[in-house]
Amino acid sequence: MNRKPLLIDTDPGIDDAIALAIILHSKEYDVRLITSTAGNVGIDKTTKNILKLLKFWNLDIPVAKGCARPLVRPEIDASGVHGDSGMDGYDFEEPDERLLLDVPAAVAIHQKIQESPDKVTMMAIGPLTNIALWLRLYPEDKEKVEEFVIMGGSMGRGNSGVLAEYNCHYDPEAAKILFDSGLPVVMMGLDVGLQALVYPEDSAKIKTFGRTGEMIYGLLQRYRGKGLKQGLKMYDACASAYLLKPELFGYVNAYVDVETSGAPPPRQRSRSAKRAPPSPFPGRMRWTPF
Ligand code: BDR
Ligand code: CA
């Protein structure tokens, strides 16, 4: 089987580590580059976490370090969910930096795309800062991208504010650049990960899957503040699942915009909308049908 070239941008992150465990061991994809982005924790930690995972699996895949903060906003962090290291729960060996390229992520992405005779698939499971810079620097590369799958955004509620999903909330300007780019983006949003729950009995089964299973079992015990009993939401792994088994999901084609000013989306008043009933507290309550 001809393995498809795949480039990954990630901020490990416990669910990132699980997404990598799945896709790096697949027969279908040949991962040519992994780029780090700040997101769940700072850039030095996410870069180190990628190197730790590659050492754990004894894989020689080039790694390029990416942006340390969002394009225009101050950074936030999700160490409350993933632990101080970003991958708490397993005692990884210290990695060396042999696999680390001496060019930044956006440049490495460009180089890997241009050196590939075939179109590449891309998967981004963290904030989209590197991707936005790459698109601004090398828009000509878009022609060589077969498909772009992200974990980010939400069709409903948010997990980093009422409406915002963490990766898009971290760098909304970058997310806007990707969605406006015209690339064929497949969005595995928060609402998908909310349905992909891992319970204690699932983690016990995972533990039996050799040393990778034991490692992931350890991470799962710490993920989301030890919230295993309620079911752990597996966001980034859905992007890997999509690449391997797209038939697991349903899809709609949609125009997606990203709100960057912090304003709620304007509400559309339908013709049949009823008039608001008189308020018992004039001036204090609003009722807006939609
Ligand atoms: C996303 O935010 C991060 O905490 C996870 O790794 C995932 O990429 C979910 O909103
Ligand atoms: Ca992530």
Side-chain angles (χ1 to χ4, degrees), residues 29-250:
Y29 288 93
D30 173 18
V31 178
R32 304 256 170 101
L33 173 71
I34 305 181
T35 49
S36 61
T37 180
N40 285 320
V41 287
I43 189 69
D44 289 336
K45 290 181 180 176
T46 57
T47 309
K48 195 169 176 182
N49 288 344
I50 295 170
L51 295 170
K52 281 180 188 171
L53 289 165
L54 293 176
K55 178 156 187 175
F56 179 85
W57 290 311
N58 201 17
L59 290 173
D60 271 357
I61 297 170
V63 176
K65 187 170 177 174
C67 293
R69 51 162 292 183
L71 294 180
V72 293
R73 295 168 194 250
E75 61 268 48
I76 51 176
D77 129 331
S79 54
V81 173
H82 302 265
D84 271 355
S85 70
M87 285 191 334
D88 279 10
Y90 188 83
D91 200 10
F92 288 93
E93 265 183 66
E94 275 303 297
D96 53 50
E97 303 211 330
R98 197 175 42 89
L99 297 173
L100 208 50
L101 300 173
D102 60 2
V103 290
V107 176
I109 293 172
H110 168 65
Q111 290 175 347
K112 289 293 168 196
I113 289 177
Q114 289 307 326
E115 75 191 28
S116 169
D118 302 314
K119 284 189 166 189
V120 303
T121 301
M122 298 180 72
M123 169 167 115
I125 50 178
L128 294 159
T129 320
N130 295 327
I131 302 305
L133 287 179
W134 159 69
L135 282 167
R136 285 292 191 252
L137 283 165
Y138 307 107
E140 67 276 16
D141 287 354
K142 283 192 280 183
E143 284 173 19
K144 288 194 69 184
V145 178
E146 177 80 33
E147 189 170 43
F148 201 117
V149 55
I150 68 162
M151 190 284 130
S154 175
M155 296 281 286
R157 53 161 268 209
N159 63 347
S160 188
V162 179
L163 295 173
E165 179 282 327
Y166 186 78
N167 291 336
C168 288
H169 189 206
Y170 187 95
D171 198 340
E173 284 77 14
K176 185 168 175 59
I177 288 172
L178 174 64
F179 279 109
D180 289 352
S181 70
L183 278 172
V185 177
V186 175
M187 175 184 136
M188 287 282 131
L190 193 73
D191 41 298
V192 181
L194 290 174
Q195 298 171 62
L197 299 175
V198 174
Y199 288 100
E201 55 273 27
D202 305 311
S203 87
K205 191 166 174 195
I206 289 169
K207 194 178 181 191
T208 66
F209 297 167
R211 60 191 282 277
T212 297
E214 277 172 29
M215 180 266 281
I216 288 173
Y217 175 84
L219 301 180
L220 288 173
Q221 306 313 303
R222 298 298 291 273
Y223 185 41
R224 306 203 153 261
K226 307 182 184 170
L228 193 54
K229 278 205 186 111
Q230 295 83 53
L232 295 174
K233 295 139 194 162
M234 236 359 94
Y235 300 117
D236 293 343
C238 289
S240 296
Y242 165 76
L243 287 175
L244 297 173
K245 289 233 175 283
E247 65 276 15
L248 287 176
F249 304 91

Side-chain angles (χ1 to χ4, degrees), residues 267-277 287-290:
R267 284 188 173 163
Q268 307 249 325
R269 214 177 217 292
S270 84
R271 275 164 196 254
S272 59
K274 295 183 195 133
R275 291 183 70 81
W287 183 86
T288 317
F290 64 96

